[in-house]
Amino acid sequence: MSASSAQSAQSEITVVHLMRHGEVHNPDGVLYGRRPDFHLSELGVRMADRVAEHLAGRDITHVVASPLERAQETAAPIAKTHGLTLDTDDRLIEAANVFEGKTFGVGDGALRRPANWKYLTNPFRPSWGEPYVDQVVRMMGALTAARDAARGHEAVCVSHQLPIWIVRSFVERRRLWHDPRRRQCSLASLTSFTYRGNKIVSVGYSEPARDLVPAHLLPGARPVKGGAKAFGA
């Protein structure tokens, strides 16, 4: 590569959008985590279509998603709009959690059950699931792969709330442990990483489907007692 080509490569702009999937059909209100067969609800499908419309005019050349159904279904209309094949990256999957398949919502008494206490000893790691550091490593790998696949253009990676928030916190040099109620990562939101060459130079956030998101699920909203349906990402 010539000196001018190398300089050009280091100055080119690439944008990687990390998108959270749309609302999931979850009538029993369980923490679904990595469990299979959790699909988008009718509202979730509308959210996915809304974001596809929002991104229709963008220079999207690569679309990839977590292997979980809700992420694949969210990414599909974006890939279709741009005439692209939808790829899968296992690194975009939801964080593992020992409470998968259980209700674990505000006011449901989960924190008072002795059987759960052994999993709640260390919020900094965290002790109930995949370590935050491990999430950073795999998500940064997925971001880098998407950047390389879309150099000079834009990519969309559909993932899940916790991994998106953790990698954003890492990039913005915030502590990784946090209050889940304060994550800025609503359903069908876009957390956008702008690269100049190989370096992230800015992080943006937008909510193209905000008007479709139930009020109690928006960032900063007060939790609803017994609202376990709000959990799971």
Side-chain angles (χ1 to χ4, degrees):
M1 181 182 293
S2 67
S4 60
S5 297
Q7 184 176 8
S8 176
Q10 287 306 310
S11 63
E12 67 184 357
I13 299 298
T14 306
V15 180
V16 179
H17 305 281
L18 270 183
M19 179 183 176
R20 184 183 173 193
H21 61 77
E23 185 189 61
V24 174
H25 179 64
N26 183 20
D28 296 326
V30 301
L31 184 68
Y32 35 82
R34 293 182 175 181
R35 292 195 159 210
D37 299 324
F38 280 90
H39 299 266
L40 293 183
S41 64
E42 291 184 8
L43 179 59
V45 172
R46 289 172 57 200
M47 291 177 179
D49 288 340
R50 170 71 65 80
V51 178
E53 293 171 6
H54 174 76
L55 294 173
R58 303 296 291 262
D59 185 22
I60 307 291
T61 61
H62 181 64
V63 181
V64 62
S66 154
L68 296 173
E69 291 94 340
R70 57 193 184 271
Q72 295 278 317
E73 292 164 1
T74 299
I78 300 172
K80 182 178 179 180
T81 296
H82 291 274
L84 299 170
T85 299
L86 172 59
D87 291 334
T88 299
D89 189 331
D90 291 345
R91 291 172 294 190
L92 293 170
I93 200 167
E94 173 63 294
N97 192 306
V98 297
F99 296 110
E100 285 180 14
K102 302 177 182 179
T103 58
F104 196 77
V106 175
D108 69 356
L111 297 178
R112 295 193 296 272
R113 297 171 192 159
N116 291 338
W117 293 350
K118 61 184 178 181
Y119 300 117
L120 304 173
T121 57
N122 185 355
F124 306 105
R125 186 176 183 267
S127 52
W128 55 83
E130 182 184 10
Y132 293 139
V133 172
D134 291 358
Q135 294 178 53
V136 167
V137 171
R138 64 176 173 86
M139 290 296 288
M140 286 300 295
L143 279 173
T144 298
R147 178 204 67 199
D148 290 345
R151 281 201 177 268
H153 305 280
E154 300 184 36
V156 177
C157 305
V158 180
S159 186
H160 308 267
Q161 187 191 59
L162 179 55
I164 294 173
W165 180 249
I166 288 299
V167 76
R168 177 182 174 184
S169 296
F170 172 77
V171 169
E172 296 183 330
R173 300 184 178 182
R174 289 195 303 272
R175 67 191 185 198
L176 301 184
W177 61 274
H178 61 282
D179 182 343
R181 297 168 297 181
R182 301 200 178 273
R183 295 173 190 157
Q184 188 185 43
C185 189
S186 65
L187 292 165
S189 62
L190 297 170
T191 300
S192 303
F193 298 79
T194 298
Y195 288 82
R196 179 175 290 112
N198 294 335
K199 182 180 180 181
I200 297 174
V201 294
S202 68
V203 180
Y205 177 77
S206 60
E207 298 173 342
R210 183 182 176 89
D211 61 305
L212 299 178
V213 179
H216 71 285
L217 297 183
L218 289 169
R222 293 187 63 183
V224 177
K225 186 174 182 179
K229 295 178 186 179
F231 291 85

